[in-house]
């Protein structure tokens, strides 16, 4: 503003000096240009001043951020130093543990090596023992084979001798015809027996008869023998004991004979004596003779 006033005053003074209109107009134009330039310069100065102020504020904020970053950097440096110390301590512990583990592993490996040596020695001893056992077994097998061969020869000789003796032996029993095909004549045998007088079990059958089964398995027959039976009456019912036999049939009839047993069935002739038959069946005993082959 001071510059504008000075220009106006300077213009008025020039007007008073010169009264030429063209000069005056040029002076006015010059003054107006100066004023406009001055205003533009003032605006530029104001704008630059504002920019300088903004820059100073930005610089202040940047300095504050820089201080914060320096503090954070110091804290990070301190933390990093502590971390390095901690890591170094941990690495030291890890190295110490690894060294201990390596020492233990070396000791174990040494023990294992010794165990391997011991096992190798035991295996060698075992192999030698197995070789000795195999040689002994081979020797025993050779001896056993020789003994078995000699025993086989002796048994074959004895068996041949027994066969010869059996062929030379003549049985005192001659069986012309049997219930089945004849066996070896040298094996003909006579076997006899009787049922227990007080222990024989008679069972009721059909049509007023009673029956019992006799065991002959002790004779050793291999084929069904020829069997002959008779009935022994221990306590007759009548005064004349010879009368009782005539009242019953089947006293010599053999039923269902095999090489180990046979059955006999008794039936009264007269139905009137049936009850006495049942009441007195414990008085009967079976006598039997069997002739057959045992081989």
């Amino acid at each position: 503003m001071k510059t504008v006033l000075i220009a106006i005053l300077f213009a008025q003074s020039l007007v008073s000096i010169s009264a030429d209109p063209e000069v005056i107009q040029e002076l006015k134009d010059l003054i107006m240009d100066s004023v406009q330039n001055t205003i533009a310069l003032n605006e530029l100065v104001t704008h630059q001043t504002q920019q300088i102020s903004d820059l100073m504020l930005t610089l202040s904020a940047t300095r504050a951020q820089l201080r914060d970053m320096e503090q954070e950097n110091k804290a990070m440096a301190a933390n990093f130093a502590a971390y390095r110390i901690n890591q170094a301590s941990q690495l030291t512990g890890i190295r110490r543990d690894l060294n201990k583990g390596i020492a233990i592993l070396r000791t174990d490996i040494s023990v294992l090596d010794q165990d391997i040596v011991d096992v190798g020695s035991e295996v060698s001893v075992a192999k030698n023992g197995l070789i000795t056992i195999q040689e002994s077994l081979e020797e025993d097998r050779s001896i056993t084979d020789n003994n078995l061969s000699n025993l086989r020869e002796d048994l074959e000789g004895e068996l041949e001798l027994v066969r010869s003796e059996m062929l030379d032996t003549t049985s005192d029993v001659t069986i012309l015809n049997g219930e089945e095909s004849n066996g070896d004549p040298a094996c003909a045998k006579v076997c006899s027996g009787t049922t227990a007088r007080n222990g024989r079990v008679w069972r009721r059958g059909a049509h007023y008869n009673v029956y019992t089964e006799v065991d002959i398995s002790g004779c050793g027959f291999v084929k069904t023998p020829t069997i002959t039976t008779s009935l022994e009456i221990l306590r007759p019912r009548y005064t004349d004991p010879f009368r009782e036999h005539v009242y019953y049939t089947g006293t010599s009839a053999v039923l269902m004979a095999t090489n180990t047993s046979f059955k006999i069935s008794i039936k009264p002739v007269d139905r009137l004596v049936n009850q006495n038959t049942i009441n007195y069946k414990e008085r009967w005993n079976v006598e039997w003779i069997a002739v057959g082959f045992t081989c």
Side-chain angles (χ1 to χ4, degrees):
M1 293 299 293
K2 289 180 179 182
T3 303
V4 174
L5 290 175
I6 292 171
I8 292 171
L9 292 174
F10 178 74
Q12 288 177 353
S13 64
L14 289 176
V15 170
S16 61
I17 295 173
S18 177
D20 188 356
E22 293 181 358
V23 173
I24 294 172
Q25 185 63 41
E26 289 178 357
L27 289 173
K28 286 182 179 181
D29 294 336
L30 180 60
I31 291 170
M32 289 301 296
D33 292 337
S34 298
V35 171
Q36 290 177 356
N37 290 331
T38 301
I39 293 171
L41 287 172
N42 285 332
E43 291 177 354
L44 180 60
V45 169
T46 303
H47 180 68
Q48 293 294 327
T49 302
Q50 184 64 40
Q51 287 184 348
I52 290 170
S53 177
D54 294 339
L55 288 173
M56 291 180 69
L57 291 174
T58 303
L59 180 60
S60 178
T62 302
R63 287 176 178 174
Q65 291 179 357
L66 182 59
R67 286 193 298 269
D68 294 339
M69 291 177 65
E70 288 178 350
Q71 291 178 358
E72 291 178 358
N73 190 19
K74 290 180 180 179
M76 290 178 63
N79 292 333
F80 182 71
Y83 173 77
R84 291 185 62 182
I85 294 172
N86 186 23
Q87 290 296 317
S89 177
Q90 291 182 359
L91 287 175
T92 302
I94 291 171
R95 289 193 186 96
R96 183 172 58 251
D97 294 338
L98 286 175
N99 290 330
K100 289 182 180 179
I102 291 171
I104 294 172
L105 286 175
R106 286 176 177 174
T107 302
D108 294 340
I109 290 171
S110 178
V111 174
L112 287 174
D113 290 338
Q114 185 61 41
D115 291 340
I116 291 172
V117 172
D118 296 339
V119 170
S121 300
E122 293 176 357
V123 169
S124 178
V125 173
K127 287 182 178 179
N128 294 331
L130 287 174
I131 293 172
T132 303
I133 292 172
Q134 289 177 351
E135 292 176 352
S136 178
L137 287 175
E138 290 294 334
E139 184 178 357
D140 293 341
R141 183 181 301 168
S142 177
I143 296 173
T144 302
D145 291 340
N146 293 331
N147 292 336
L148 287 175
S149 178
N150 295 333
L151 180 60
R152 187 182 295 109
E153 293 176 357
D154 295 340
L155 289 176
E156 289 177 352
E158 293 179 1
L159 181 59
E160 190 64 28
L161 180 61
V162 170
R163 287 176 180 172
S164 300
E165 291 178 353
M166 289 179 63
L167 292 175
D168 294 339
T169 300
T170 301
S171 175
D172 294 335
V173 179
T174 301
I175 301 176
L176 298 179
N177 298 300
E179 303 299 329
E180 301 178 44
S181 60
N182 287 351
D184 191 341
C187 299
K189 180 179 181 179
V190 177
C191 186
S192 65
T194 179
T195 58
R197 289 188 170 186
N198 297 321
R200 174 57 29 201
V201 178
W202 293 86
R203 295 180 175 84
R204 185 191 298 271
H207 305 293
Y208 310 104
N209 70 324
V210 292
Y211 69 92
T212 188
E213 184 174 4
V214 181
D215 182 13
I216 61 172
S217 59
C219 296
F221 293 124
V222 296
K223 298 176 180 291
T224 301
T226 301
I227 302 172
T228 304
T229 65
S230 63
L231 185 67
E232 178 189 12
I233 299 176
L234 302 179
R235 296 187 299 278
R237 277 191 310 123
Y238 303 99
T239 304
D240 184 1
F242 298 103
R243 292 180 55 193
E244 188 156 351
H245 285 82
V246 300
Y247 285 101
Y248 302 99
T249 62
T251 58
S252 60
V254 177
L255 303 175
M256 302 173 66
T258 66
N259 63 320
T260 58
S261 66
F262 68 89
K263 292 181 180 180
I264 184 171
S265 177
I266 308 299
K267 182 178 180 180
V269 177
D270 189 350
R271 294 176 57 181
L272 296 177
V273 300
N274 177 56
Q275 295 300 325
N276 290 330
T277 299
I278 299 304
N279 294 334
Y280 288 93
K281 63 181 183 297
E282 73 276 2
R283 299 182 297 110
W284 302 334
N285 188 38
V286 179
E287 313 286 350
W288 57 270
I289 298 174
V291 181
F293 297 96
T294 57
C295 65

